[in-house]
Amino acid sequence: MSDYTVREFIQKTKRDTRDKDAFDLQTDRILEVNLTSSLWAKIGSMISYTGDIKFTREGVFEHGVSKMLKKSFTSEGEDLMKAEGRGTLFLADDGKKITILELENDQITINGNDILAFEPTIEWDIKLMRKLAGAMSGGLFNIELEGYGKVAMTTHYEPLTLIVEPGKPVMTDPGATVAWSTNLKPEFRTDVSVKTFLGRGSGESIQMEFEGDGFVIVQSKEE
């Protein structure tokens, strides 16, 4: 590791103040948001801000009774916070890599724990995977997003996108699965045996199977 004088370190790590989009990356693990109205973000993700910004926790009825009931019976993702006002907001999540997606009337499903922030123009809903295998994997609930606007998602290290083609299903580990195109409806494959419960199985007893026409995004570390 190189040594720096204080002046050199400041010069190397100081904020890039050039004009940016509403969502931009200061580093691959720090998101800069140029806030002019509001956005939704993962609670606890704010690391710094300037300007006049107010933070409020997601209200019980903030998104309607349906979403409230789903959240009441799930542990999906983290609670959201609303950031409102004008200023510059910096967000991060446990040092994970951040990717900004621009939705242009697209639909994408993202693991709730992997959503960092999204613009209020995007519609979203919680979706429940009603499979016993899903409950065992700990990956029951996900967030469907659609419409127009920016979404920031996080991954452990670099994400990998796998293309799903008709007749060529793709299997993934639920803990490594980050997101997929919403038109795909994953099923769970199980290979549960006595050895699995005794700790002598392969460790890959539950997989998600994606079949159809779309994509699935995975990360290199299981959650």
Side-chain angles (χ1 to χ4, degrees), residues 6-208:
V6 172
R7 180 173 296 180
E8 288 171 341
F9 181 78
I10 292 172
Q11 185 64 31
K12 184 176 179 63
T13 61
K14 72 178 181 180
R15 176 194 170 200
D16 182 355
T17 58
R18 289 174 294 185
D19 290 341
K20 296 180 174 63
D21 294 332
F23 279 30
D24 217 322
L25 295 179
Q26 272 293 320
T27 74
D28 60 0
R29 289 170 171 78
I30 299 177
L31 175 69
E32 177 179 334
V33 180
N34 294 300
L35 191 65
T36 57
S37 57
S38 66
L39 89 157
W40 288 101
K42 187 174 184 177
I43 197 164
S45 62
M46 185 276 289
I47 60 171
S48 181
Y49 73 93
T50 61
D52 184 14
I53 301 176
K54 178 183 178 183
F55 301 92
T56 54
R57 192 184 187 96
E58 177 188 18
V60 173
F61 296 100
E62 188 79 45
H63 304 288
V65 175
S66 175
K67 291 191 179 73
M68 180 273 291
L69 290 174
K70 289 179 185 178
K71 288 181 70 68
S72 296
F73 291 99
T74 75
S75 58
E76 173 54 17
E78 304 293 332
D79 287 338
L80 297 175
M81 64 178 181
K82 180 184 284 187
E84 298 176 281
R86 299 184 66 88
T88 303
L89 174 62
F90 297 93
L91 303 173
D93 183 16
D94 199 29
K96 294 167 69 176
K97 179 179 175 61
I98 301 168
T99 300
I100 300 172
L101 302 176
E102 178 79 43
L103 270 59
E104 298 178 334
N105 201 27
D106 301 302
Q107 293 182 322
I108 187 170
T109 300
I110 302 178
N111 184 303
N113 191 51
D114 297 319
I115 292 179
L116 181 62
F118 57 90
E119 294 186 302
T121 54
I122 293 176
E123 297 182 7
W124 64 275
D125 196 8
I126 296 171
K127 291 299 179 180
L128 169 65
M129 292 186 175
R130 301 179 183 274
K131 299 289 185 179
L132 174 61
M136 294 176 65
S137 73
L140 268 177
F141 306 99
N142 301 283
I143 310 296
E144 288 187 359
L145 303 104
E146 65 175 305
Y148 295 86
K150 293 183 183 294
V151 177
M153 72 175 187
T154 60
T155 56
H156 288 286
Y157 312 108
E158 297 287 337
L160 172 67
T161 299
L162 304 170
I163 303 302
V164 182
E165 299 176 328
K168 298 180 179 179
V170 173
M171 271 64 72
T172 65
D173 185 301
T177 306
V178 176
W180 57 88
S181 46
T182 298
N183 61 293
L184 298 179
K185 303 301 179 185
E187 295 290 336
F188 284 97
R189 295 165 57 99
T190 61
D191 179 21
V192 179
S193 65
V194 174
K195 286 185 177 181
T196 300
F197 289 109
L198 294 178
R200 298 174 57 196
S202 68
E204 307 298 334
S205 297
I206 303 171
Q207 302 98 37
M208 296 176 72

